[in-house]
Amino acid sequence: MRSVMVLCAAIVMAGMVPAYAATYYVSSSAGNDSAAGTTEAAPWKTFAKASTVSLVAGDKLLLKCGDTWNEELHPKGNGTAQAPVLISSFGKGAKPIIDRQDDKADLVGLLLKDQEGFKIVGLEFNKCQTGIYAEYSDNCPTKKYLWIEDCYFHDSLVYGNYKTYPTPRNISLGVCLFSYERDKKIILQDIMVKNCVFRRLASGFWTNSPDNFNAGASFVYNFKNLVFEDCLFEEGYQWQQGIRGVDGGVMRNCITHDVGRGFRAWNGVAGAMFFRCKDWLIEDCEWGFVDIGQGSGDGEAFDWEGNCDNSVMKNCTFHDTDGPGFLLCCYASDGNANKDITMENCVINAKSKRPIRPNVRAAIINTTDWTTAIWKNCRFYLSPGEALMAVMDGEKDQRSKFIDCTVKTLAEACKGSPNLALKARVTASSQDAAAAIDGKPDTAWKPTGDGSHWLQLALPAATLVNTFKIKEAAGSSISRYQIQYWDDQAKKWMSCFNGMTIGQEFVCAIANRTTKGVRLVVMKTTSGSPAVAEFEAYNDVAEWKPVPLLGGR
């Protein structure tokens, strides 16, 4: 995992741009393909023209802010990790948009073939069946460095049978990295995906190959050192992270929210699906509101699908799922179990509305107990009739361990623990918010004005917070909100829970956070202004039951 951790530092320390580097400009509104293309005053017009120039290390290809193209951009050439080719924007205004206008057609926004050394920053991709598609041929020499930052991928919901992919490319994806290599060989490494939004897509980000789910292709890794930071995956259909065949990765401060709603998957819905991966660190991430939609299967937040080894998840929250919160699987895709999966300071608050088998509802579904998973200092909130873990095939030695973990029913949440909000100083974006922390359900904070609204609690001292209760006043129709905590080290507000509707009372359990302040941000309502009757914060420590140690190696 060390090689992954130094990726960001290595990229930041990249060398100087070569003296011969050129900058090219493209504007659909003011360009001319007969122009020089080398100044803002004389840009090219089309991607067809921009795709003819052979780019070299340090070159820049800049698209005019506010302009739109219905074309595929296929830049030629390569950069290096030290001096990547930059594809970004110039001017002021909204992001340049690549809008293919028909997500049902196999249309790509930006195409790379056997290329390396690209940094793609600040672009928008609308109705592209694939926003960025990078494919690598069989026997391709190892390529290095692909950076995607501050890009917005949205509104493409075509869904087909993934087992035939990419012939045809019949699933809408924000980004797809596809390898035709079938041997145990890395074809692309050092990949960064930072501060990107993936919204209303069949799937957000895929690494893929012809041997997706071939049991005979176990332990084949074609990608290496993949890092996700500060990304949002929202309102998608299935597998917002479909990660296959990746040796070493990091996912940090990412949110996956509202997956599967109104959709029917022939093979089940999950917020994330990792298969044939090793040496991953996933921390400070959230998966919530995974819906089985119109009769789809599974409905879990996260799925270690099989053949995944030596990976750690820390400070992660899994909540409000129609299926289990977590799936440990190895039969559906591969005969090899997951080995050495460690979960630390994670919380599962799954609703498990749908049994995996008749009368089998559990926060964790383990398809075989020869998967090795250790849970440390984790909390589990169980809904009525839900078990902690169900093992579907129990003929092997149990290899799941729960160390210093606790469990309670959801109805017991916060009972016996003081409401920290009662001793906090409250401020808000508008109006007096004292009514939201007075303990009286018949009073409410009613902010005014357009846009989002926030209510903030300043705690008397740094305090451990791990659960919230929100109560909405009658007539209010909040449909999207976020709870944030103040990160004193980073000196900024960080997300810890993303919610949808609230109603009379909603329990928001999060991974333990020590903080001096928390706040509720109301982002959307179905109609009218929001009204919050109570915003309560807790260190939920009372009435927990210890989880027994299960099995051993």
Side-chain angles (χ1 to χ4, degrees):
M1 198 175 293
R2 182 181 299 273
S3 60
V4 178
M5 301 302 291
V6 301
L7 169 61
C8 296
I11 293 173
V12 169
M13 294 172 63
M16 297 177 64
V17 175
Y20 52 80
T23 301
Y24 303 95
Y25 300 86
V26 190
S27 170
S28 63
S29 63
N32 186 326
D33 284 349
S34 298
T38 53
T39 67
E40 291 188 27
W44 294 324
K45 184 178 184 66
T46 68
F47 287 170
K49 175 65 175 180
S51 297
T52 62
V53 65
S54 226
L55 301 169
V56 298
D59 280 356
K60 298 177 183 179
L61 179 61
L62 304 182
L63 314 183
K64 186 178 180 182
C65 288
D67 279 7
T68 300
W69 293 262
N70 180 11
E71 294 182 80
E72 176 182 282
L73 177 60
H74 181 191
K76 301 297 190 296
N78 293 279
T80 66
Q82 293 72 32
V85 170
L86 174 66
I87 300 178
S88 189
S89 64
F90 73 95
K92 296 181 180 180
K95 288 179 171 65
I97 303 174
I98 301 177
D99 184 350
R100 301 314 310 270
Q101 300 183 6
D102 183 5
D103 63 343
K104 295 179 177 58
D106 182 8
L107 300 174
V108 171
L110 194 157
L111 175 66
L112 300 175
K113 288 191 173 184
D114 290 347
Q115 290 169 275
E116 64 183 340
F118 277 82
K119 188 170 186 177
I120 303 163
V121 180
L123 306 184
E124 180 175 339
F125 298 84
N126 179 49
K127 288 192 178 298
C128 306
Q129 193 170 107
T130 313
I132 297 176
Y133 185 78
E135 69 174 22
Y136 296 86
S137 58
D138 193 13
N139 292 318
C140 177
T142 300
K143 302 296 182 178
K144 296 180 180 180
Y145 192 95
L146 173 62
W147 183 300
I148 304 170
E149 181 177 356
D150 190 30
C151 290
Y152 181 27
F153 306 86
H154 63 100
D155 290 292
S156 189
L157 291 168
V158 171
Y159 173 78
N161 187 332
Y162 66 83
K163 290 188 175 181
T164 64
Y165 195 93
T167 310
R169 287 185 297 217
N170 57 349
I171 296 179
S172 294
L173 304 171
V175 178
C176 180
L177 310 181
F178 194 90
S179 165
Y180 286 95
E181 178 63 62
R182 295 174 183 267
D183 292 335
K184 297 181 180 180
K185 175 186 174 184
I186 301 298
I187 54 89
L188 179 64
Q189 68 179 54
D190 303 339
I191 308 149
M192 169 65 83
V193 186
K194 184 175 183 179
N195 194 33
C196 291
V197 174
F198 302 82
R199 182 175 284 126
R200 293 184 296 275
L201 301 170
S203 287
F205 191 105
W206 273 19
T207 60
N208 213 352
S209 73
D211 283 326
N212 284 342
F213 292 93
N214 179 353
S218 301
F219 309 106
V220 174
Y221 311 104
N222 294 148
F223 303 95
K224 187 178 180 69
N225 296 352
L226 169 59
V227 176
F228 293 92
E229 285 189 355
D230 302 306
C231 292
L232 171 63
F233 301 82
E234 187 169 42
E235 300 177 32
Y237 272 178
Q238 180 189 45
W239 301 348
Q240 292 306 289
Q241 304 93 38
I243 308 301
R244 310 165 181 87
V246 181
D247 175 2
V250 173
M251 180 175 286
R252 183 180 291 116
N253 296 324
C254 292
I255 299 162
T256 304
H257 173 267
D258 189 11
V259 179
R261 183 158 50 100
F263 162 66
R264 183 188 296 274
W266 65 271
N267 60 332
V269 170
M273 189 282 301
F274 279 60
F275 170 58
R276 205 168 64 231
C277 292
K278 67 176 181 177
D279 297 334
W280 273 76
L281 172 63
I282 301 174
E283 60 181 350
D284 300 309
C285 293
E286 173 190 354
W287 286 265
F289 294 97
V290 180
D291 197 310
I292 61 171
Q294 300 174 353
S296 304
D298 293 351
E300 67 270 5
F302 194 97
D303 176 10
W304 290 113
E305 178 70 11
N307 197 189
C308 291
D309 302 330
N310 192 35
S311 295
V312 176
M313 304 186 83
K314 299 171 63 176
N315 311 326
C316 293
T317 298
F318 312 91
H319 65 93
D320 298 287
T321 55
D322 278 1
F326 213 88
L327 178 62
L328 296 164
C329 183
C330 74
Y331 284 161
S333 306
D334 190 288
N336 292 284
N338 305 292
K339 296 180 181 179
D340 298 319
I341 302 294
T342 301
M343 315 291 294
E344 299 180 13
N345 186 35
C346 294
V347 61
I348 291 184
N349 179 13
K351 298 303 188 289
S352 296
K353 300 174 185 177
R354 174 189 177 274
I356 294 296
R357 289 181 180 173
N359 302 316
V360 177
R361 296 174 54 249
I364 306 166
I365 299 294
N366 191 353
T367 61
T368 174
D369 53 13
W370 41 293
T371 277
T372 307
I374 299 175
W375 304 75
K376 298 179 180 179
N377 300 307
C378 296
R379 298 169 15 250
F380 304 93
Y381 290 88
L382 304 181
S383 56
E386 183 185 26
L388 172 60
M389 186 171 76
V391 180
M392 310 308 291
D393 175 7
E395 83 277 10
K396 302 290 183 181
D397 294 335
Q398 290 182 336
R399 297 186 180 185
S400 294
K401 290 184 179 181
F402 293 85
I403 300 173
D404 297 327
C405 295
T406 49
V407 62
K408 67 167 58 174
T409 66
L410 186 59
E412 296 171 324
C414 307
K415 283 187 176 180
S417 298
N419 176 11
L420 302 173
L422 298 177
K423 293 186 178 181
R425 179 172 58 87
V426 61
T427 54
S429 55
S430 67
Q431 303 299 101
D432 184 359
I437 63 166
D438 61 4
K440 300 176 182 178
D442 56 342
T443 63
W445 168 58
K446 299 179 180 179
T448 57
D450 297 328
S452 62
H453 309 276
W454 55 264
L455 180 159
Q456 182 174 309
L457 305 181
L459 302 172
T463 305
L464 193 152
V465 181
N466 58 25
T467 314
F468 301 88
K469 286 187 176 182
I470 312 176
K471 301 175 183 179
E472 194 173 11
S476 178
S477 61
I478 294 171
S479 58
R480 179 72 169 88
Y481 63 92
Q482 184 176 88
I483 299 175
Q484 301 171 344
Y485 72 98
W486 177 254
D487 187 321
D488 208 38
Q489 184 174 358
K491 302 299 179 186
K492 63 180 180 178
W493 292 99
M494 302 289 290
S495 169
C496 60
F497 189 92
N498 286 263
M500 296 178 69
T501 58
I502 295 173
Q504 189 172 14
E505 180 177 275
F506 197 89
V507 177
C508 309
I510 66 168
N512 289 330
R513 302 292 182 184
T514 298
T515 183
K516 295 179 181 178
V518 296
R519 68 177 178 178
L520 171 67
V521 181
V522 179
M523 302 157 74
K524 289 183 182 178
T525 64
T526 301
S527 63
S529 298
V532 178
E534 293 294 320
F535 178 49
E536 302 172 357
Y538 294 89
N539 175 16
D540 188 11
V541 295
E543 299 183 13
W544 285 95
K545 301 176 181 66
V547 173
L549 185 67
L550 298 183
R553 299 190 186 186

